[in-house]
C-alpha cells in the first residue's frame, strides 16, 4: 500500500469517528409537564398526599436524558431530585397538615432547558385539638402558675393563646407545636384555664378549637385595705380632712406588705403600716374628691376607694366690663364677683377681690368694682376672690379698646353726568364695624355697614337737575356714643350732556372771496369745559382744538384762498358725550382786484385794436387819395397785376375789417364779466361816435 492510499485511509477514519461522535449527541424536546395531586386536591388533616409529576419528552435515542425535578410550594423550592428514567416523579406528603395547604408546581430541567407545570392547589382542612397541662391545680393568690399548650401533630408557624375564664392572659408565638407560659391569678376562687392556637400560612391564618379546661383553685389572701376619712358629714371648701389608710386581717408575721394612699392620680403617701394624711378640702376640677388606699403583698394588690362631696364655699369669680364697648383713653368699670357663696360658713362681706394687674387703679368704693382707663392697645385683666384661705381666680378678660373713626374721606369715582348713575366712596380709619351715612345737600341718601378692613363704603346716586351738588359722609363705630366723624363737603358740578349743536360761517359760504377772513363759530347747549375741534372732510387731524368753559368757540382762516374751498365740520365734547355738526360747503370766489385787473386788460386790448384799426383806416384813405391823383394823370385801365391796384384792394379789406370790429360795440355800454355770478365791470363808452366812409372805386 502506497503513501496516497494510507493518507486516504486516515482521512476516512477521521470522518467515520466524527460521524460516530455526532450520533452520540442526543437531541430532545420537553413537550409538557403536568402535576397531579393524589388522592384529590381537598383532603382532611392526616391524609397521605402524593404529588405526581408527569413529563412528556421527545428524544432522538431510546435512552432518555438525565432529568432534574423540582417541587415548589407558593413559588418556594420544597424538594429537588435528579433521575435518569422517563418514569413519573413522585413526592410524598405523609400525614398532611393544614400547614401543607398552598399552590404547588413541578419544574423539569434537562440540560438547562426547563418547563413548569400549571399550579395545583392543595387544601388540607382540620386542626388537631390543643392539649393544656398545668403544674399545679391549687395555688395561693399571687402565686405563679406554669402552663403548657400542645398542638399534636401540627407543623408550621404558631400563635398560642392562654385564657382565664375566657379572658386572654398571654400570647406566645413560635415555630414549635407547643408553648409554655407563666401567669398569676390575682383573685381567689375557682379559675378555668384553657388555650388555643392559630397556624399562619403564606395566604391565610387558620384557628384551632379550644383546648380542654383545667380548673385551678386560688386561695385568697386574708389582708384587706381600710380607708377612713373624717369628718364624715357635710364638708365645705377649706375644711381640714384627716385621712388614714391601713390593712386588716393580716396574720403572717414573716411577710410584709406596703400601703399606698392617692388622691386621683396624685400619690399622697406610702408606708409599711397605717398611713395618716391631713389636708384642706380644695377640689381642683369638680365638687368631689376621690381617695384610693392600696395594699400590695406577694405580687397581689388590693384596693378600696372613697369619693367625698365638697360643698363650694364660693363660686369662681367672673370678671366683666362696662360698657361692653370701650374706646382708647376712656374710663371703664371692671367688676369681679362670685355669684354663689355658702351662707352657713361665710358672709358676702368676707370675700376679698383683687384685680391683676393692679397698678394705680382708682378706687370705686365698692368691693370688686374697679375703674380702669383703657390703654392704646389690647390688654388682659384677671381677678381673684378669697375667703377662709381659699382663693379662686377668674378667667382672663381680654380688652381690645376700639379706635374712634378719623380721617374720613369722601370721593367720587366717575364723572358726574346729568341723569346718569355715579359712585360715591366713603372711607375712614377706626375700629370695625363702621356705619357710614351719605348726605346730599344735607338730605340722607343711604347707610352702609363695613365689617372688613381696607373696604370702602360704596353709594350709588343719580342727579336729575343741573347745578352744583354737595355730598358729605358721616361715620360712626360706637353703639353707646353719639360721637361721629364727618367728612368735608364735596361739591360737584353736574355735567350736562351736549346737544343742539350749530356751526355758523361768517361771511356766508357762497359770498367769500380770496383774501377775506373766514370765521367758523361752533355753539352747543350743555356745560363746560367743552373741547371744540374743527375738521376738513377727509382728514382725521383737526385743524384746531380749543377747550373752553364757554359753550361756543370760533376758528379763523385768515386770509382764505381758492385752496380753502372744501367742506368743514365741528366736533364738541365735555366728558359726558360728543356731538358733531353738519358739513358746511365753502366755495372761495376770485378776489375783486383780480376781476378789475381782467377788465382793465380787456379794455387795453380793445383800445389797441381800435387804435390799429384807426391807423389802418387813415392810411387806407390817404392811399386812395394818392391813387386817385395818379389815376387822374393816367386814365388807362388797370391791370390785375398792377401794384397800385393790388395795394388798393388790400387797403379796402383792412378797412372793412376795422369797420366790422367797431360796429360790434355800436350802441352798447361796454360790460365785461369776471367769470362769477352777479359780477359786472363797467367799461367807458368812448368809441360810440364812430365815423366811416367808403372810398369810391376808380376805373
Amino acid at each position: 500500500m502506497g503513501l496516497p492510499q494510507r493518507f486516504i485511509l486516515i482521512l476516512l477514519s477521521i470522518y467515520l469517528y466524527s460521524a460516530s461522535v455526532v450520533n452520540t449527541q442526543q437531541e430532545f424536546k420537553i413537550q409538557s409537564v403536568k402535576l397531579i395531586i393524589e388522592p384529590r386536591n381537598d383532603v382532611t388533616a392526616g391524609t397521605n398526599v402524593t404529588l405526581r409529576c408527569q413529563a412528556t419528552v421527545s428524544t432522538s435515542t431510546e435512552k432518555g436524558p438525565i432529568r432534574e425535578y423540582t417541587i415548589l410550594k407558593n413559588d418556594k423550592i420544597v424538594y429537588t431530585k435528579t433521575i435518569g428514567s422517563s418514569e413519573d416523579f413522585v413526592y410524598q406528603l405523609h400525614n398532611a397538615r393544614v400547614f401543607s395547604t398552598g399552590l404547588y408546581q413541578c419544574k423539569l430541567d434537562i440540560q438547562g432547558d426547563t418547563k413548569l407545570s400549571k399550579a395545583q392547589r392543595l387544601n388540607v382542612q382540620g386542626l388537631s385539638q390543643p392539649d393544656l397541662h398545668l403544674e399545679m391545680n391549687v395555688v395561693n393568690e399571687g402565686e405563679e402558675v406554669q402552663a403548657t399548650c400542645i398542638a399534636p401533630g401540627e407543623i408550621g408557624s404558631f400563635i398560642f393563646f392562654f385564657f382565664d375564664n375566657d379572658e386572654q392572659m398571654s400570647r406566645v408565638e413560635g415555630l414549635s407545636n407547643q408553648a409554655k407560659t407563666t401567669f398569676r391569678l390575682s383573685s381567689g376562687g375557682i379559675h378555668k384555664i384553657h388555650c388555643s392556637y392559630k397556624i399562619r400560612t403564606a395566604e391565610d391564618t387558620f384557628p384551632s378549637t379550644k383546648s380542654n379546661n383545667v380548673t385551678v383553685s386560688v386561695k385568697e389572701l386574708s389582708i384587706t385595705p381600710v380607708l377612713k376619712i373624717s369628718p364624715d358629714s357635710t364638708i365645705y371648701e377649706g375644711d381640714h380632712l384627716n385621712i388614714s389608710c391601713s390593712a386588716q386581717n393580716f396574720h403572717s408575721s414573716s411577710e410584709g406588705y406596703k400601703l399606698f394612699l392617692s388622691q386621683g392620680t396624685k400619690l399622697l403617701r406610702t408606708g409599711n403600716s397605717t398611713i395618716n394624711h391631713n389636708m384642706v378640702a380644695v377640689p381642683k376640677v369638680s365638687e368631689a374628691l376621690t381617695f384610693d388606699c392600696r395594699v400590695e403583698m406577694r405580687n397581689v394588690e388590693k384596693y378600696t376607694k372613697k369619693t367625698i362631696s365638697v360643698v363650694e364655699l364660693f363660686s369662681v369669680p367672673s370678671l366683666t366690663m362696662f360698657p361692653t364697648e370701650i374706646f382708647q383713653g376712656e374710663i371703664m368699670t371692671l367688676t369681679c364677683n362670685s355669684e354663689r357663696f355658702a351662707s352657713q360658713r361665710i358672709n358676702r362681706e368676707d370675700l376679698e377681690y383683687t384685680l391683676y394687674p393692679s397698678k394705680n387703679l382708682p378706687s370705686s368704693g365698692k368691693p370688686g368694682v374697679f375703674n380702669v382707663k383703657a390703654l392704646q392697645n389690647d390688654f388682659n385683666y384677671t381677678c381673684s376672690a378669697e375667703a377662709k384661705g381659699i382663693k379662686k381666680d377668674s378667667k382672663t378678660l381680654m380688652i381690645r379698646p376700639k379706635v374712634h373713626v378719623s380721617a374720613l374721606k369722601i370721593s367720587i369715582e366717575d364723572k358726574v353726568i346729568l341723569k346718569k348713575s355715579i359712585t360715591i366712596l366713603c372711607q375712614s380709619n377706626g375700629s370695625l364695624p363702621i356705619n357710614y351715612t351719605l348726605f346730599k345737600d344735607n338730605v340722607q341718601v343711604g347707610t352702609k355697614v363695613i365689617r372688613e378692613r381696607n373696604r370702602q363704603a360704596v353709594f350709588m346716586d343719580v342727579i336729575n337737575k343741573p347745578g352744583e351738588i354737595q355730598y358729605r359722609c358721616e361715620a360712626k363705630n360706637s353703639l353707646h356714643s353719639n360721637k361721629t366723624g364727618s367728612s368735608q363737603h364735596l361739591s360737584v358740578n353736574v355735567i350736562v350732556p351736549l346737544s343742539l349743536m350749530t356751526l355758523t360761517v361768517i361771511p356766508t359760504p357762497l359770498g367769500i372771496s380770496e383774501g377775506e377772513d373766514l370765521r367758523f363759530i361752533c355753539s352747543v347747549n350743555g356745560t363746560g369745559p367743552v373741547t371744540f375741534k374743527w375738521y376738513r372732510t377727509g382728514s382725521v387731524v383737526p385743524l384746531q382744538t380749543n377747550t373752553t368753559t364757554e359753550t361756543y368757540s370760533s376758528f379763523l382762516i385768515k386770509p382764505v384762498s381758492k385752496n380753502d374751498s372744501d367742506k368743514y365740520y365741528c366736533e364738541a365734547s365735555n366728558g359726558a358725550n360728543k356731538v358733531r355738526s353738519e358739513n358746511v360747503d365753502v366755495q372761495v370766489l376770485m378776489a375783486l382786484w383780480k376781476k378789475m385787473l381782467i377788465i382793465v386788460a380787456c379794455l387795453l386790448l380793445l383800445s389797441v385794436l381800435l387804435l390799429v384799426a384807426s391807423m389802418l383806416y387813415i392810411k387806407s384813405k390817404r392811399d386812395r387819395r394818392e391813387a386817385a391823383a395818379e389815376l387822374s394823370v393816367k386814365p388807362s385801365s388797370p391791370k390785375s397785376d398792377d401794384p397800385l391796384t393790388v395795394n388798393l384792394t388790400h387797403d379796402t379789406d383792412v378797412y372793412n375789417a376795422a369797420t366790422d370790429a367797431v360796429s360790434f360795440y355800436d350802441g352798447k355800454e361796454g360790460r365785461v364779466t369776471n367769470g362769477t355770478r352777479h359780477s359786472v365791470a363797467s367799461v367807458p363808452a368812448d368809441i360810440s361816435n364812430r365815423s366811416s366812409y367808403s372810398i369810391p372805386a376808380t376805373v
Side-chain angles (χ1 to χ4, degrees):
M1 182 180 296
L3 183 59
Q5 290 81 3
R6 290 180 180 179
F7 181 73
I8 292 172
L9 288 175
I10 292 172
L11 292 177
L12 182 59
S13 300
I14 293 173
Y15 173 78
L16 293 174
Y17 176 78
S18 300
S20 64
V21 171
V22 171
N23 289 333
T24 60
Q25 292 181 351
Q26 189 178 36
E27 294 183 357
F28 64 91
K29 174 62 179 176
I30 303 175
Q31 294 184 1
S32 64
V33 178
K34 183 178 180 182
L35 177 64
I36 301 174
I37 298 178
E38 298 173 350
R40 55 192 169 274
N41 289 61
D42 297 326
V43 298
T44 57
T47 304
N48 293 326
V49 177
T50 300
L51 302 180
R52 183 177 300 278
C53 191
Q54 295 179 344
T56 302
V57 181
S58 301
T59 62
S60 58
T61 60
E62 294 181 359
K63 185 178 181 180
I66 301 299
R67 307 182 183 191
E68 182 182 87
Y69 288 95
T70 302
I71 300 297
L72 297 96
K73 175 189 175 185
N74 299 326
D75 297 326
K76 294 182 179 180
I77 297 176
V78 174
Y79 183 75
T80 300
K81 186 176 182 180
T82 301
I83 61 176
S85 65
S86 60
E87 296 178 355
D88 295 345
F89 171 68
V90 176
Y91 176 70
Q92 298 289 340
L93 289 175
H94 298 287
N95 193 18
R97 315 306 298 182
V98 171
F99 186 73
S100 303
T101 298
L103 287 174
Y104 288 87
Q105 288 178 289
C106 176
K107 184 175 73 172
L108 174 60
D109 187 340
I110 301 177
Q111 298 180 12
D113 188 11
T114 62
K115 201 172 192 67
L116 195 64
S117 70
K118 290 183 179 180
Q120 294 290 332
R121 181 172 184 80
L122 173 64
N123 294 316
V124 182
Q125 299 176 351
L127 291 174
S128 61
Q129 183 182 12
D131 189 10
L132 177 64
H133 299 278
L134 298 181
E135 287 186 345
M136 296 179 293
N137 296 96
V138 179
V139 296
N140 294 319
E141 186 178 10
E143 189 175 357
E144 285 188 346
V145 178
Q146 184 173 354
T148 302
C149 187
I150 302 173
E154 300 296 339
I155 58 173
S157 176
F158 293 88
I159 306 174
F160 288 92
F161 303 92
F162 295 85
F163 298 89
D164 175 15
N165 296 328
D166 295 328
E167 182 180 350
Q168 183 177 319
M169 295 185 297
S170 63
R171 166 187 171 130
V172 180
E173 297 185 20
L175 299 177
S176 174
N177 67 338
Q178 62 177 343
K180 293 183 179 182
T181 187
T182 57
F183 51 86
R184 289 186 175 89
L185 301 175
S186 58
S187 60
I190 302 299
H191 295 261
K192 292 183 178 181
I193 312 299
H194 72 272
C195 70
S196 65
Y197 66 91
K198 290 181 180 180
I199 292 182
R200 291 182 296 195
T201 65
E203 298 177 347
D204 204 352
T205 300
F206 300 91
S208 71
T209 59
K210 292 181 180 180
S211 71
N212 56 306
N213 285 321
V214 178
T215 302
V216 178
S217 178
V218 180
K219 296 180 180 180
E220 186 176 2
L221 291 176
S222 59
I223 191 169
T224 303
V226 178
L227 178 62
K228 295 180 180 181
I229 302 174
S230 65
D232 54 3
S233 58
T234 304
I235 300 174
Y236 290 88
E237 281 183 316
D239 289 352
H240 290 275
L241 301 179
N242 295 318
I243 307 165
S244 67
C245 177
S246 60
Q248 289 182 351
N249 302 324
F250 181 67
H251 304 292
S252 175
S253 59
S254 60
E255 292 185 90
Y257 59 86
K258 193 170 184 177
L259 294 169
F260 301 87
L261 177 62
S262 303
Q263 178 196 343
T265 58
K266 181 181 180 182
L267 181 62
L268 299 177
R269 290 200 177 188
T270 63
N272 297 321
S273 59
T274 301
I275 297 174
N276 294 310
H277 181 70
N278 298 320
M279 61 177 291
V280 176
V282 181
K284 295 296 183 182
V285 180
S286 63
E287 297 179 352
L289 296 175
T290 300
F291 296 93
D292 184 297
C293 177
R294 293 176 182 262
V295 59
E296 185 180 279
M297 178 182 177
R298 295 183 192 171
N299 297 317
V300 176
E301 188 178 277
K302 295 187 177 185
Y303 67 91
T304 182
K305 286 186 177 184
K306 280 188 178 182
T307 299
I308 60 173
S309 297
V310 179
V311 179
E312 191 177 46
L313 189 63
F314 56 89
S315 61
V316 175
S318 61
L319 182 60
T320 59
M321 63 178 286
F322 181 83
T324 56
E325 179 187 79
I326 194 71
F327 287 84
Q328 295 175 346
E330 293 182 347
I331 300 297
M332 60 182 174
T333 300
L334 300 180
T335 302
C336 185
N337 181 47
S338 293
E339 294 183 0
R340 302 181 306 275
F341 66 95
S343 59
Q344 298 87 347
R345 295 295 178 95
I346 62 171
N347 298 318
R348 184 170 290 280
E349 291 76 15
D350 296 330
L351 290 169
E352 295 182 0
Y353 297 100
T354 306
L355 183 68
Y356 302 99
S358 57
K359 294 182 180 180
N360 302 323
L361 293 179
S363 175
S364 65
K366 296 181 180 179
V369 179
F370 307 92
N371 294 325
V372 180
K373 185 177 182 180
L375 302 178
Q376 299 296 317
N377 51 357
D378 296 352
F379 53 98
N380 298 331
Y381 278 106
T382 59
C383 75
S384 66
E386 187 173 359
K388 299 290 185 179
I390 303 298
K391 184 177 181 181
K392 297 182 180 181
D393 295 324
S394 70
K395 293 182 179 180
T396 300
L397 175 64
M398 176 181 288
I399 299 176
R400 292 183 173 178
K402 298 183 69 175
V403 180
H404 281 295
V405 292
S406 62
L408 182 55
K409 297 178 181 179
I410 183 172
S411 61
I412 293 182
E413 193 173 60
D414 305 314
K415 296 177 181 179
V416 181
I417 301 173
L418 185 67
K419 296 184 179 181
K420 288 196 175 181
S421 177
I422 61 173
T423 302
I424 302 105
L425 304 176
C426 296
Q427 187 174 19
S428 68
N429 297 329
S431 300
L432 300 172
I434 300 177
N435 294 302
Y436 291 92
T437 304
L438 178 67
F439 294 88
K440 179 171 72 174
D441 291 337
N442 294 323
V443 177
Q444 182 174 327
V445 175
T447 301
K448 298 285 185 179
V449 179
I450 300 302
R451 304 181 185 276
E452 299 178 12
R453 294 189 179 276
N454 302 321
R455 289 288 300 274
Q456 296 174 316
V458 180
F459 296 92
M460 306 299 295
D461 194 24
V462 177
I463 300 177
N464 295 314
K465 62 179 182 178
E468 185 178 84
I469 304 295
Q470 286 190 342
Y471 287 99
R472 67 180 177 88
C473 274
E474 285 188 0
K476 181 180 178 181
N477 62 350
S478 175
L479 299 176
H480 308 287
S481 173
N482 292 325
K483 186 175 182 180
T484 61
S486 181
S487 70
Q488 295 181 348
H489 286 79
L490 177 65
S491 298
V492 296
N493 291 317
V494 181
I495 301 176
V496 179
L498 302 178
S499 62
L500 301 178
M501 187 175 193
T502 59
L503 178 59
T504 304
V505 181
I506 299 176
T508 58
L510 299 179
I512 303 170
S513 299
E514 289 180 305
E516 294 182 346
D517 293 344
L518 177 61
R519 186 178 297 276
F520 298 90
I521 300 175
C522 194
S523 63
V524 292
N525 285 353
T527 57
V530 182
T531 299
F532 293 92
K533 295 181 180 181
W534 288 267
Y535 293 89
R536 194 168 182 170
T537 56
S539 175
V540 295
V541 179
L543 299 172
Q544 179 176 301
T545 300
N546 184 27
T547 300
T548 177
T549 56
E550 303 293 339
T551 57
Y552 61 88
S553 184
S554 64
F555 166 55
L556 179 64
I557 301 178
K558 181 180 180 180
V560 295
S561 65
K562 289 291 288 182
N563 293 332
D564 294 322
S565 296
D566 207 337
K567 292 181 180 180
Y568 294 84
Y569 66 92
C570 173
E571 281 186 355
S573 60
N574 67 344
N577 64 335
K578 183 169 67 173
V579 293
R580 182 184 186 276
S581 71
E582 297 291 335
N583 292 340
V584 174
D585 191 3
V586 175
Q587 296 295 329
V588 180
L589 304 178
M590 185 180 296
L592 182 59
W593 65 270
K594 290 185 178 181
K595 296 179 181 179
M596 296 302 296
L597 182 62
I598 293 173
I599 294 173
V600 171
C602 292
L603 291 176
L604 289 176
L605 178 61
L606 183 58
S607 299
V608 170
L609 291 175
L610 291 175
L611 180 60
V612 171
S614 298
M615 291 176 65
L616 292 175
Y617 173 74
I618 293 171
K619 184 177 183 299
S620 174
K621 189 175 182 181
R622 186 182 55 197
D623 291 342
R624 283 199 302 269
R625 288 176 181 176
E626 291 177 356
E630 290 179 359
L631 288 175
S632 62
V633 179
K634 297 178 180 181
S636 58
S637 315
K639 296 181 180 179
S640 61
D641 57 349
D642 187 359
L644 180 59
T645 303
V646 173
N647 187 30
L648 182 58
T649 304
H650 173 73
D651 291 342
T652 303
D653 294 336
V654 172
Y655 171 78
N656 292 333
T659 302
D660 294 338
V662 173
S663 63
F664 175 78
Y665 293 97
D666 189 19
K668 295 185 180 180
E669 189 178 343
R671 300 176 180 268
V672 180
T673 60
N674 60 359
T676 60
R677 290 186 297 170
H678 310 295
S679 297
V680 178
S682 298
V683 181
D686 56 353
I687 57 172
S688 59
N689 296 322
R690 299 186 303 269
S691 59
S692 62
Y693 58 91
S694 300
I695 301 175
T698 302
V699 179

